[in-house]
Amino acid sequence: MPEDQSNPAEPETTAAWNRVWLPRVAYATVTVLVVLYGSLWVFRSTGGFLVTLVIALFAAFALLPAVESLSRRGWRRGLATGAVMLGAALFGAFFIYTLLNVVIGQIVKLGSQAPSYAQSIVSWVNNTFGTSISSSNLVSQLTADQSRLQALSSNAVSGILGLAATALGLVFQALTIGLFVFYILADLPRLRNAVFRRLPPTSQLHADTVIEITIEKVGGYVYSRSLLALVSALFHFTAFKIIGIPYAVALAMWVGIVSQFVPAVGTYIAGVVPILIALVENPVDAIWVLAAILAYQQVENYLLSPRITANTMNLHPAVAFGSAIVGGSLLGGVGALLALPVAATTTALVQTYGDHYEVIASGRIESPTEYETRMREAATHKEARRRNRIERLRSTTASLRDDGRDRSHP
């Protein structure tokens, strides 16, 4: 009879294996799911705090070069931090104050000149479309409905209360960010020592490199953009004064700051406000304002910006535009503002730790002139490498020959 090839111990081994490993797999799966969902819950619950902390870190990195400069001149670190932050706060308060003056002044002017604007609009509609609308009848119809006026007044009151609540929330968030920035700047050496003490020397070197690159890029971005904003504000202040539109200081500051620190669409947002104010004053002035803004943009794009931001923001325009869109999608306006320094820092880290190779020439993509230039450079490099190999071979042969002579003649 043929022997039974089945092993009766195999089912018992499989059952024992299942009894041992199935509970472990189940426990591991449950643990991973609990940790994952717990992390998501913590991230969602503390998302606002994390955004505040990220903003504070970038603000601290932006102000750090100024604090370090004052510290090297003998200032105590806490005093230097307070002085730099006070200067930044005063500048921000002055900027907001000037913008509020513009807004309030324009609202008051529109309210006082609303009847004349309504008469002009009604006249244009009647002349264009052949209607016979009376401006007095229009005003009487708008003011006749008391319930509508009450609804508008209640909406206005609720809107004012909502605006006040939003302003208080922004003030609280600004104070929170300022507190974090002060602690980061004032205690940065102690904080660095506390973190690096837990890392081995190699990890300390890499972490220090990442921090230095981040500080260099963020600080360089802020100071280069601040310099461009200053030049832009001075130019537009002079242009607005010559044209004769009101609020020249506030509008020049608005154009300078918004055009430099709002990515991608900052130039267009900055130019709309002075053009609208010029339209209210005199439509002809709006044309001159638009011409001045366009002229300065050409000077900045081709002369100023390439020289000032060459070493701080070496980003391709497509990369900058895409990073601004991604940052805005993730964190809104704050993400759009932080997108460019993050992209610059990432690019610098890739250039520091990534490998670099010689790019081959392509006759299909490059123009004929560029292709011929690249081929000549490649041939020149190849010839130089061949000559270097020959020189190294000759020097090696000569050294071996001299060594042999020395041995044969002790």
Side-chain angles (χ1 to χ4, degrees):
M1 291 182 63
E3 296 182 358
D4 189 5
Q5 300 295 327
S6 61
N7 188 0
E10 289 183 359
E12 297 179 359
T13 305
T14 305
W17 179 276
N18 293 335
R19 286 194 301 270
V20 173
W21 286 102
L22 283 180
R24 295 183 180 180
V25 172
Y27 293 152
T29 304
V30 172
T31 303
V32 170
L33 291 177
V34 169
V35 171
L36 179 61
Y37 280 101
S39 302
L40 291 176
W41 176 77
V42 170
F43 181 78
R44 291 173 182 173
S45 302
T46 61
F49 171 76
L50 294 178
V51 172
T52 300
L53 186 59
V54 170
I55 297 173
L57 283 174
F58 274 90
F61 288 158
L63 299 178
L64 183 60
V67 174
E68 294 291 344
S69 177
L70 293 179
S71 298
R72 287 192 294 268
R73 300 185 181 207
W75 289 48
R76 289 186 301 174
R77 192 171 187 89
L79 182 61
T81 302
V84 172
M85 292 185 63
L86 180 61
L90 290 177
F91 177 79
F94 178 72
F95 177 67
I96 294 174
Y97 173 75
T98 54
L99 287 184
L100 287 178
N101 278 339
V102 173
V103 173
I104 294 174
Q106 288 302 307
I107 290 176
V108 171
K109 185 172 183 179
L110 287 175
S112 62
Q113 297 183 357
S116 62
Y117 290 151
Q119 181 64 39
S120 300
I121 294 173
V122 169
S123 300
W124 179 81
V125 171
N126 291 334
N127 295 330
T128 304
F129 301 101
T131 58
S132 57
I133 301 175
S134 174
S135 59
S136 59
N137 294 334
L138 180 62
V139 173
S140 62
Q141 290 177 4
L142 290 176
T143 57
D145 193 352
Q146 297 296 327
S147 61
R148 183 183 301 175
L149 291 177
Q150 293 176 359
L152 290 175
S153 62
S154 63
N155 291 333
V157 172
S158 63
I160 293 173
L161 293 177
L163 181 62
T166 303
L168 289 176
L170 291 176
V171 170
F172 177 76
Q173 188 174 8
L175 292 177
T176 305
I177 293 173
L179 186 63
F180 276 115
V181 170
F182 181 82
Y183 283 136
I184 292 173
L185 290 175
D187 290 339
L188 185 60
R190 190 184 308 172
L191 179 62
R192 179 181 180 275
N193 293 334
V195 174
F196 279 26
R197 192 177 293 116
R198 303 293 180 179
L199 301 176
T202 305
S203 300
Q204 291 183 19
L205 179 61
H206 291 307
D208 196 52
T209 302
V210 171
I211 293 174
E212 288 182 357
I213 291 175
T214 304
I215 294 174
E216 177 185 358
K217 292 302 177 181
V218 175
Y221 168 74
V222 172
Y223 288 105
S224 62
R225 291 294 175 178
S226 300
L227 180 59
L228 287 174
L230 177 62
V231 175
S232 176
L234 292 175
F235 174 86
H236 288 96
F237 170 75
T238 305
F240 295 160
K241 274 293 186 180
I242 294 174
I243 296 171
I245 62 174
Y247 313 108
V249 175
L251 292 178
M253 292 178 61
W254 166 265
V255 173
I257 293 176
V258 174
S259 63
Q260 300 304 323
F261 288 98
V262 177
V265 296
T267 301
Y268 308 102
I269 297 175
V272 167
V273 176
I275 291 174
L276 290 178
I277 293 178
L279 280 173
V280 173
E281 297 293 329
N282 186 4
V284 178
D285 292 341
I287 300 176
W288 291 110
V289 171
L290 178 61
I293 293 174
L294 293 178
Y296 177 77
Q297 284 303 313
Q298 304 307 312
V299 175
E300 180 184 294
N301 293 336
Y302 292 102
L303 294 179
L304 299 178
S305 184
R307 289 172 171 81
I308 295 177
T309 62
N311 297 323
T312 58
M313 291 296 294
N314 189 15
L315 285 177
H316 192 275
V319 175
F321 182 72
S323 61
I325 292 177
V326 173
S329 301
L330 294 176
L331 298 176
V334 175
L337 290 175
L338 300 179
L340 293 186
V342 170
T345 303
T346 305
T347 303
L349 292 175
V350 171
Q351 292 175 354
T352 301
Y353 289 99
D355 296 328
H356 301 275
Y357 302 97
E358 184 178 354
V359 180
I360 62 174
S362 175
R364 184 180 297 275
I365 298 177
E366 297 176 332
S367 64
T369 304
E370 293 177 349
Y371 179 72
E372 292 177 0
T373 303
R374 293 281 299 278
M375 291 300 292
R376 286 196 299 268
E377 291 177 353
T380 303
H381 293 163
K382 184 177 180 180
E383 179 65 22
R385 288 195 298 269
R386 188 183 67 85
R387 291 180 179 178
N388 289 334
R389 286 197 299 269
I390 293 175
E391 291 297 331
R392 288 198 300 269
L393 180 60
R394 289 178 178 175
S395 62
T396 303
T397 304
S399 62
L400 291 175
R401 186 182 300 114
D402 294 339
D403 189 18
R405 291 174 180 175
D406 293 340
R407 291 181 180 179
S408 59
H409 298 85

